[in-house]
Amino acid sequence: NTPTVAPAPNMDPHPERRSRLGMEQPPEISIPYMSQLAFAEDDFKDALRGALRLDPDVIYGGEINNAETARLCIQAAMTGHLVPATLHANNVNTGLRRLVGDKGMQVPLEDLCADDVLRLAQFQTLLPTLCTECKQPAIPYLSRLQIQAIEDLQIDPMNLFTRFQGSRNPCPHCRGRGIRKRTVLAEVVRPTPDFLEALLHQGVNAAMEVYRGTRRAGFASEDQVGKNAMEHGLYKASIGVICARQLVEEFDVTRHPEVLRKEAARRRQRDHEDRHATIAHRPEPA
């Protein structure tokens, strides 16, 4: 989890001017200009209270994995501290549900939606990047439904690639693996007043609809505002960076809301044409 959060403090142009305290079980990597404390899980409550008495500018709370940790991190944020922290979830939606849900950590929505408490929510996952020397066109390895879904999302299937599919890959650049490094797919939500209002009064789903309503670019665009991790992956697949076959299978692109909407419209159009065809061929009464 530390590698997820560490880049944020490292982007501070003047880290030496701030008091920064990390609290982990134990620290995974060293973060410059941050005092990192190791402690047992049972000691987190006392450790955080001690940290608050020191009044640092930044408190890295490690992983939020229980209700008490969540409440303490929220309380620290409400008292003016910057509190980057992580938790495990499949996307931002489920992450928020873990925080506020009755079966989760039960953080009061009034606290989470208070001014300057929830400043950023980010989900990220990693996918391998394709070897540029041996990647292959993806179309032969995609189903008709997958290709139709990709086209519905305004992605040209001819621009998509997959990792080497033969029985033996002789490529020396990737040593036969078809992949080289890894790249991030991310969903980054910056809560707006409208987002927080929807979250407070209507719940997580309504708030995420507000976020998705901020999308201003197509799925082949680098602009990721209003998009989820799979849609970020569509962009990276459209420029040949990741395996399109892996993306559409892991995220099931055929179930994307835009794809389902267009398929429903095509179905209505076919039904309309069938009705008109039936009327046109109805025999005249004798």
Side-chain angles (χ1 to χ4, degrees), residues 32-92:
Y33 297 100
M34 179 176 284
S35 299
Q36 295 172 267
L37 307 179
F39 58 92
E41 183 173 354
D42 294 339
D43 297 333
F44 182 85
K45 182 177 180 179
D46 293 335
L48 183 54
R49 285 177 174 171
L52 290 172
R53 283 194 292 270
L54 297 174
D55 196 27
D57 299 303
V58 180
I59 301 175
Y60 168 40
E63 181 187 348
I64 298 175
N65 55 15
N66 57 63
E68 182 179 48
T69 303
R71 286 194 298 271
L72 289 170
C73 287
I74 294 294
Q75 289 170 11
M78 293 178 72
T79 53
H81 303 86
L82 180 62
V83 188
T86 64
L87 73 162
H88 290 287
N90 292 327
N91 47 49
V92 171

